[in-house]
Each structure stands twice: as structure tokens, then as C-alpha cells.
């Protein structure tokens, strides 16, 4: 189909199934839901290139093709074999994809942190019959308890009904520590809860984190020592996240490793905004952890990488 300019795209927000990328059409105009393995495709309905799929026009005529995957290793999950590029649901709570021997999954149930609020001071998760995902319900409490829960984050000498412009001034800032990075190598996620915002509301906050790259060359352990010092790249590098690249380069510190069973994790960190540019031309900013000092210890965090394979592979998807 011929392209027409200026571009005219639908005004409604694009709604795609879970795990489906938003990609540009052949005209470079509008974002569309990427076609998946085995689905019909065309120039206006491209395949999901983030998952290594391409449109093969040799099998179907009249300008249409079928999405196929480039050759790659298959995946074995509990004795069942999946082909490269194949999507599947091992449980009703997970949507997974096989990518050249590695399995990546995204949750289909909302695990968003539910915090007390004046409308719902006692939230509780309940499993309903014939439903896969648990749902939040509010347990009714006494009016006194509801008032105390809602006002707990404000100073005692504040007005009974603080005005909006005084919320920040009367707010007692409460912030938890950042959680451990979700991946031992490569890009992961770290989270905390804070009410340091204009509404003085407890909210979940996330930042990107990288303890060490998966392919970073580690220095040899010096004689008499069991741990490698915190390495720093000799050349500046660009961060990659969901197929997008940071607009500027960095020389971050990374944590080393130990040979006696201890873990080397970040001890002192800072947080900064990093801007990313995507192949489709979009820009977005994300908070990211920068390591200042690492420590070695036996209290090792559990490995909760999304990949179920024993080796590390990087899966690039579309950004939110």
C-alpha cells in the first residue's frame, strides 16, 4: 500500500495482547501490534522483530506473508519442547516466549503493591473460584481506624484538613530502602515505597539497576585474596533497555565476584535519570541505580531472573 503523508494514526490508545510489542508500520507512521509466530503479516502489519521474527512472503501471495522465526535453539520446559520464537502459557499466570534456547516470561496477573488509603485501609488479596488471578478486596474497619491510617503520614500539629498546597510542608517523608536488583547480571529492576511526592501518598517507585554486565571480563583474583575488586569499564558504554539505547555514554562502577561462596552486591548507590532512545524514534527517561561501593557477604539474594534457563541471555522487548 502507498504511504500518505502527513501521517494519520488512530486517536485511540493501542491495545495489544500481553507480551506483544508496539512496532512502526512500513511507512514509519503509526504504531501497530506486532504479528506473532505463524500469523499473517504484511508491510502494514509487520512481524515482531524484537522476538527475531520476520515476514516470509514466499509462502502466501497477494502482498501477504507469514511470520517465521530465524533459526535458533529450541527450549525445553518440563519435558515439552518449544521452537525459537514460539509463545506459550505454562500457567494461567505467565505468558512466555522461547528465544534461542532461553525462556522469558511476563506475569499476566497484576502484582502491583496495594498500600493503605482512606478509601481502603485494610486491603486483602483473595482467590476467587474459576479465576486465575487473585484480586484485592477492602475489609471494612472502624471509622477511627480509617482516620488514623489516612492521617498517619502527617505531622501532629498540622490542620485537621490540610490544604493541598500545605500537604508537602506537613508531610512526614517515609521511604524504604531500595530492594536488591532483580538480576545478578544484566539490566534488572529495583523497587522501594515512598511518600515523597506532592500528594504525600505512599507509592511504589522503581529504578533500573545493573550489578554487572553478563559478559563483563572479570579480573583475576590476586594471591591471598578471595574477592575481585569492583571493576570499572575502561571505555564508556551505552545502557540498553527493552531494545532502546541510552542517549549518552557512561563509565559506571560494577560489583566484582568472590570465589569463597560470598556474594558481591551494591552497598552504597545513587539514583539518576537516564534518557533512552528507541529504534522507532521514541524517547523516554527512567531512574537508574549507579554504584558507589560494593560489599561481599554470605546473605545472598535469591536469583529471580525472568529467564528459566541456566545460562544468561538478553531478551529485548518493547518499552512501556
Amino acid at each position: 500500500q502507498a504511504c500518505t503523508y502527513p501521517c494519520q494514526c488512530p486517536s485511540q490508545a493501542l491495545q495489544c495482547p500481553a507480551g506483544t510489542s508496539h512496532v512502526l508500520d512500513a511507512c514509519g507512521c503509526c504504531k501497530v501490534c506486532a504479528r506473532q509466530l505463524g500469523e499473517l503479516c504484511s508491510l502494514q502489519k509487520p512481524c515482531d522483530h524484537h522476538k527475531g521474527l520476520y515476514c516470509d512472503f514466499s509462502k502466501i501471495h497477494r502482498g501477504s506473508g507469514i511470520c517465521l522465526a530465524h533459526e535458533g535453539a529450541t527450549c525445553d520446559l518440563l519435558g515439552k519442547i518449544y521452537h525459537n520464537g514460539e509463545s506459550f502459557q505454562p500457567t494461567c499466570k505467565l505468558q512466555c516466549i522461547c528465544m534461542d534456547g532461553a525462556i522469558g516470561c511476563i506475569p499476566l496477573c497484576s502484582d502491583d503493591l496495594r498500600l493503605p488509603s482512606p478509601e481502603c485501609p485494610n486491603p486483602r488479596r483473595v482467590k476467587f473460584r474459576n479465576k486465575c488471578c487473585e484480586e484485592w478486596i477492602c475489609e471494612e474497619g472502624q471509622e477511627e481506624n480509617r482516620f488514623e491510617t489516612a492521617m498517619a503520614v502527617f505531622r501532629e500539629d498540622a490542620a485537621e484538613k490540610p490544604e493541598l498546597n500545605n500537604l508537602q510542608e506537613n508531610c512526614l517523608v517515609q521511604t524504604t530502602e531500595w530492594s536488591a536488583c532483580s538480576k545478578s547480571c544484566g539490566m534488572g529492576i529495583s523497587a522501594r515505597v515512598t511518600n515523597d511526592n506532592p500528594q504525600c501518598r505512599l507509592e511504589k517507585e522503581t529504578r533500573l539497576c545493573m550489578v554487572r554486565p553478563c559478559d563483563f571480563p572479570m579480573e583475576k583474583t590476586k594471591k591471598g585474596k578471595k574477592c575481585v575488586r569492583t571493576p570499572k569499564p575502561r571505555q564508556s558504554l551505552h545502557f540498553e533497555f527493552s531494545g532502546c539505547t541510552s542517549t549518552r555514554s557512561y563509565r559506571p562502577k560494577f560489583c566484582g565476584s568472590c570465589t569463597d561462596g560470598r556474594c558481591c552486591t551494591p552497598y552504597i548507590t545513587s539514583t539518576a535519570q537516564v534518557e533512552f532512545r528507541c529504534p522507532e524514534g521514541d524517547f523516554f527517561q527512567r531512574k537508574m541505580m549507579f554504584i558507589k561501593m560494593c560489599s561481599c557477604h554470605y546473605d545472598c539474594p535469591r536469583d529471580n531472573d525472568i529467564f528459566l534457563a541456566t545460562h544468561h541471555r538478553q531478551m529485548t522487548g518493547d518499552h512501556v
Side-chain angles (χ1 to χ4, degrees), residues 8 124 144 164 225 228 232 234 240 246 276:
Q8 292 183 347
R124 186 165 61 91
E144 294 181 6
L164 285 176
K225 291 191 175 183
V228 180
K232 193 172 184 179
R234 296 178 180 177
E240 291 188 6
S246 61
F276 290 86

Side-chain angles (χ1 to χ4, degrees), residues 148-169:
E148 290 175 3
T149 303
M151 300 299 294
V153 294
F154 294 103
R155 301 182 190 278
E156 293 180 2
D157 58 352
E160 291 185 11
K161 294 182 179 179
E163 298 294 333
L164 285 176
N165 56 357
N166 291 330
L167 286 178
Q168 192 75 31
E169 182 181 345

Side-chain angles (χ1 to χ4, degrees), residues 33-311:
C33 297
R35 299 291 171 158
Q36 304 303 302
L37 185 69
E39 294 181 348
L40 293 177
C41 54
S42 66
L43 291 176
Q44 298 303 322
K45 299 176 181 179
C47 299
D48 199 335
H49 62 86
H50 294 131
K51 298 176 182 176
L53 303 180
Y54 69 97
C55 193
D56 185 358
F57 291 98
S58 64
K59 303 188 183 301
I60 298 180
H61 301 290
R62 295 182 182 177
S64 296
I66 188 168
C67 287
L68 299 179
H70 295 287
E71 289 188 18
T74 58
C75 302
D76 183 354
L77 179 62
L78 301 177
K80 190 167 183 179
I81 303 299
Y82 298 95
H83 296 288
N84 180 37
E86 183 177 356
S87 296
F88 58 96
Q89 282 187 244
T91 70
C92 62
K93 295 184 177 182
L94 288 175
Q95 176 73 40
C96 301
I97 183 173
C98 172
M99 291 190 66
D100 196 17
I103 299 175
C105 300
I106 60 170
L108 297 178
C109 296
S110 175
D111 275 338
D112 293 338
L113 189 62
R114 184 70 178 267
L115 296 164
S117 68
E119 297 81 16
C120 184
N122 300 306
R124 186 165 61 91
R125 297 190 73 175
V126 176
K127 179 74 171 70
F128 289 99
R129 191 176 179 182
N130 298 328
K131 285 191 176 181
C132 175
C133 303
E134 296 176 335
E135 296 183 8
W136 287 104
I137 63 169
C138 294
E139 291 185 345
E140 293 296 331
Q142 297 180 356
E143 290 297 320
E144 294 181 6
N145 292 338
R146 293 183 65 179
F147 181 77
E148 290 175 3
T149 303
M151 300 299 294
V153 294
F154 294 103
R155 301 182 190 278
E156 293 180 2
D157 58 352
E160 291 185 11
K161 294 182 179 179
E163 298 294 333
L164 285 176
N165 56 357
N166 291 330
L167 286 178
Q168 192 75 31
E169 182 181 345
N170 295 325
C171 184
L172 284 172
V173 176
Q174 303 178 60
T175 304
T176 64
E177 296 292 330
W178 287 103
S179 66
C181 193
S182 63
K183 296 187 74 175
S184 57
C185 76
M187 193 70 78
I189 299 290
S190 177
R192 70 177 181 181
V193 176
T194 181
N195 66 337
D196 190 7
N197 51 63
Q199 291 76 32
C200 192
R201 245 179 110 179
L202 287 169
E203 294 179 345
K204 186 178 180 181
E205 186 180 27
T206 60
R207 66 176 180 177
L208 301 176
C209 52
M210 184 184 290
V211 179
R212 62 184 65 83
C214 292
D215 56 353
F216 195 75
M218 302 299 266
E219 296 182 5
K220 293 183 179 180
T221 307
K222 292 183 179 179
K223 190 175 182 180
K225 291 191 175 183
K226 297 181 179 179
C227 295
V228 180
R229 68 175 181 83
T230 304
K232 193 172 184 179
R234 296 178 180 177
Q235 295 180 341
S236 57
L237 54 85
H238 290 268
F239 293 118
E240 291 188 6
F241 174 64
S242 293
C244 307
T245 307
S246 61
T247 54
R248 56 162 290 193
S249 59
Y250 298 86
R251 285 194 66 204
K253 285 185 177 180
F254 297 121
C255 290
S257 61
C258 300
T259 58
D260 56 359
R262 285 185 291 174
C263 301
C264 195
T265 59
Y267 178 62
I268 300 177
T269 67
S270 62
T271 305
Q273 290 279 4
V274 174
E275 185 180 58
F276 290 86
R277 185 182 189 280
C278 303
E280 287 80 10
D282 294 349
F283 288 86
F284 68 94
Q285 288 188 337
R286 279 291 181 92
K287 290 182 179 178
M288 184 159 182
M289 175 192 77
F290 286 88
I291 299 171
K292 292 186 175 180
M293 185 182 298
C294 299
S295 65
C296 296
H297 51 85
Y298 288 103
D299 185 20
C300 300
R302 290 194 310 167
D303 185 9
N304 57 348
D305 292 359
I306 64 168
F307 291 111
L308 305 178
T310 55
H311 58 283

